[in-house]
Amino acid sequence: MARIRSVHPGLYTDEGFISLSIEARLFYIGIWSEADDQGAFAWKPFTLKARILPADNVDAKALLQEMVDIGVVKEALDGEKPIGLIKNFCKWQRPKKPSLFFEIPDHLRSFVGLDDEAEENRSKRKAIWARFNGRCFYCGSEVSYYSKRHDSLEIDHVTPVSKGGSDDASNLVCACRGCNRSKKDMSASEFFAFRKLKKLPVSEGFAKSFGSISHPENVASDSESDFSHPENGFRVTERRKGGREEGKDVGCNRATETEKPIADRWQELAEDVIAATGNNPARSMVRADCVRQWLADASARGYSFETATEIILGTVREKSRFGGKGKPPAWFHSPVTQALASGTIPSAHIVGNAPKSRADRVADAWAGVPDIPGV
């Protein structure tokens, strides 16, 4: 069964491809549609010619042999059946639900671009995502398995590696980008205490595991060093000369700016806000100046940049689910302002905010029509 394939522009300058004759190049691209999703196809020259070049007077056997000689195709055996393999096919064709019809010999898996170690890592990543039903372990928000979306899945160590955590499955959880960034190198109990102090949403599973903490402020203070104190939920180290600097960001392996006011960092957040509204940040022409005002408001209320980011993005994502998708950021000004004032993200399950269905609107319209006798 023929399949739709994409052709990378770099193919036309590939040395192996340009070494083929014109007929062989066209035949080579046509074979992609006849191959399964790992680059294997049945070695049947006459059948391939009938499907790819039915009206051309060409020798399919000679074209296949030309590809073998150049090195872009290899002939192999699946049991007793002859098959062909396309070089580096799996590096450029990545269907979401691959269909496999042939078994590739182990010594030729690298020829088609199969990376068994990467496949194993992807399988583990997807298994963790499925184990948590596609929701963040910390806040309960929905995350996407595909990495190009703004709410993409990230795998987090419950006990950080810097504090002795392992890579065992029991220590790995599904996390959204916001929680993984704000957790940094905190332990799970410290992060639970931080979210409780900031009145941020906590998932049911996270609460069951660490909800027995009766005084989260004590947990947060116990985790600090002798020359540090908690400020807005994050560790701030005081210098001996009286200055201060924020602790090293172990989770992201980068230092965070403290001298720069958070309102001046609005451009760092603007792209994520535009993506959260359902628009494409790379193509969208909408203005996001309101993000600066939101961060200024958050700064006046004593929020850190990470906390303000979580509240703003959480509010925009929740409101996007009920009529806000595709709207400009300014459309979310009122709910974001209210969320910053309360310090909590509004629930997405408020019935009053849900748009009415067409059937409900028709029923409401007919309910307002008076009954006229005889009509």
Side-chain angles (χ1 to χ4, degrees), residues 154 156 160 162 180-181 183-186 248-254:
E154 295 193 2
D156 184 59
S162 61
N180 195 23
R181 296 293 190 273
K183 183 174 179 289
K184 300 184 178 181
D185 64 333
M186 297 183 194
K248 183 179 179 182
D249 185 352
V250 178
C252 298
N253 294 324
R254 59 180 175 83

Short mmCIF file of all heavy atoms in Angstrom, two decimals, residues 154 156 160 162 180-181 183-186 248-254:
data_model
loop_
_atom_site.label_atom_id
_atom_site.label_comp_id
_atom_site.label_asym_id
_atom_site.label_seq_id
_atom_site.Cartn_x
_atom_site.Cartn_y
_atom_site.Cartn_z
N GLU A 154 8.00 16.62 30.04
CA GLU A 154 9.36 16.58 30.53
C GLU A 154 9.42 15.53 31.63
O GLU A 154 8.48 15.37 32.40
CB GLU A 154 9.82 17.95 31.05
CG GLU A 154 9.87 19.01 29.96
CD GLU A 154 10.61 20.27 30.40
OE1 GLU A 154 11.10 20.29 31.55
OE2 GLU A 154 10.68 21.22 29.60
N ASP A 156 11.04 14.22 35.05
CA ASP A 156 11.72 14.81 36.20
C ASP A 156 12.07 13.74 37.23
O ASP A 156 11.35 12.74 37.38
CB ASP A 156 10.84 15.88 36.85
CG ASP A 156 11.54 16.58 37.99
OD1 ASP A 156 12.60 17.18 37.75
OD2 ASP A 156 11.04 16.50 39.14
N PRO A 160 16.21 14.66 43.23
CA PRO A 160 17.18 15.13 42.24
C PRO A 160 18.45 14.30 42.24
O PRO A 160 18.86 13.76 43.27
CB PRO A 160 17.45 16.58 42.67
CG PRO A 160 16.27 16.97 43.50
CD PRO A 160 15.82 15.72 44.19
N SER A 162 21.34 15.47 41.98
CA SER A 162 22.31 16.17 42.83
C SER A 162 22.17 15.81 44.30
O SER A 162 23.08 16.08 45.09
CB SER A 162 22.15 17.69 42.65
OG SER A 162 20.85 18.10 43.05
N ASN A 180 8.78 21.56 36.16
CA ASN A 180 10.16 21.08 36.09
C ASN A 180 11.15 22.22 36.22
O ASN A 180 12.21 22.08 36.83
CB ASN A 180 10.37 20.34 34.76
CG ASN A 180 11.64 19.50 34.76
OD1 ASN A 180 12.14 19.12 35.81
ND2 ASN A 180 12.16 19.24 33.58
N ARG A 181 10.80 23.39 35.63
CA ARG A 181 11.70 24.54 35.73
C ARG A 181 11.70 25.11 37.16
O ARG A 181 12.75 25.50 37.68
CB ARG A 181 11.28 25.63 34.74
CG ARG A 181 11.39 25.23 33.28
CD ARG A 181 12.84 25.02 32.86
NE ARG A 181 12.96 24.87 31.42
CZ ARG A 181 12.84 23.73 30.76
NH1 ARG A 181 12.60 22.62 31.43
NH2 ARG A 181 12.97 23.67 29.46
N LYS A 183 10.90 23.59 40.00
CA LYS A 183 11.38 22.66 41.02
C LYS A 183 12.89 22.71 41.15
O LYS A 183 13.44 22.57 42.25
CB LYS A 183 10.93 21.23 40.66
CG LYS A 183 11.33 20.18 41.71
CD LYS A 183 10.71 18.85 41.34
CE LYS A 183 11.11 17.76 42.34
NZ LYS A 183 12.50 17.37 42.23
N LYS A 184 13.58 22.88 40.02
CA LYS A 184 15.04 22.96 40.02
C LYS A 184 15.65 21.77 40.75
O LYS A 184 15.36 20.63 40.41
CB LYS A 184 15.49 24.29 40.63
CG LYS A 184 14.97 25.50 39.87
CD LYS A 184 15.52 26.78 40.44
CE LYS A 184 15.03 27.97 39.63
NZ LYS A 184 15.57 29.23 40.16
N ASP A 185 16.47 22.03 41.80
CA ASP A 185 17.09 20.93 42.53
C ASP A 185 16.44 20.70 43.89
O ASP A 185 17.03 20.12 44.80
CB ASP A 185 18.59 21.18 42.71
CG ASP A 185 18.86 22.41 43.57
OD1 ASP A 185 18.00 23.31 43.60
OD2 ASP A 185 19.93 22.47 44.22
N MET A 186 15.17 21.16 44.04
CA MET A 186 14.46 20.91 45.30
C MET A 186 14.11 19.43 45.42
O MET A 186 13.87 18.74 44.42
CB MET A 186 13.16 21.71 45.35
CG MET A 186 13.28 23.21 45.32
SD MET A 186 11.64 23.95 45.48
CE MET A 186 12.00 25.64 45.01
N LYS A 248 22.52 28.83 42.79
CA LYS A 248 22.77 28.28 41.46
C LYS A 248 21.63 27.38 41.02
O LYS A 248 21.14 26.58 41.79
CB LYS A 248 24.08 27.48 41.49
CG LYS A 248 24.47 26.94 40.12
CD LYS A 248 25.76 26.18 40.20
CE LYS A 248 26.15 25.62 38.85
NZ LYS A 248 27.40 24.84 38.93
N ASP A 249 21.21 27.52 39.80
CA ASP A 249 20.12 26.74 39.24
C ASP A 249 20.68 25.38 38.79
O ASP A 249 21.11 25.23 37.66
CB ASP A 249 19.50 27.50 38.05
CG ASP A 249 18.29 26.79 37.51
OD1 ASP A 249 18.03 25.66 37.94
OD2 ASP A 249 17.62 27.39 36.66
N VAL A 250 20.67 24.41 39.70
CA VAL A 250 21.25 23.11 39.38
C VAL A 250 20.38 22.38 38.38
O VAL A 250 20.85 21.67 37.51
CB VAL A 250 21.42 22.28 40.67
CG1 VAL A 250 21.99 20.90 40.35
CG2 VAL A 250 22.33 23.02 41.64
N GLY A 251 19.04 22.53 38.51
CA GLY A 251 18.15 21.79 37.63
C GLY A 251 18.31 22.12 36.18
O GLY A 251 18.16 21.27 35.31
N CYS A 252 18.59 23.37 35.87
CA CYS A 252 18.72 23.80 34.48
C CYS A 252 20.16 24.07 34.09
O CYS A 252 20.43 24.46 32.96
CB CYS A 252 17.87 25.06 34.22
SG CYS A 252 16.12 24.79 34.49
N ASN A 253 21.09 23.96 35.07
CA ASN A 253 22.51 24.19 34.80
C ASN A 253 22.78 25.59 34.27
O ASN A 253 23.54 25.79 33.35
CB ASN A 253 23.05 23.16 33.82
CG ASN A 253 23.03 21.77 34.41
OD1 ASN A 253 23.26 21.61 35.60
ND2 ASN A 253 22.74 20.77 33.60
N ARG A 254 22.08 26.56 34.84
CA ARG A 254 22.34 27.94 34.43
C ARG A 254 22.03 28.84 35.62
O ARG A 254 21.21 28.52 36.47
CB ARG A 254 21.48 28.34 33.22
CG ARG A 254 20.00 28.23 33.48
CD ARG A 254 19.20 28.63 32.25
NE ARG A 254 17.78 28.41 32.44
CZ ARG A 254 16.96 29.24 33.05
NH1 ARG A 254 17.43 30.36 33.55
NH2 ARG A 254 15.68 28.96 33.19
#
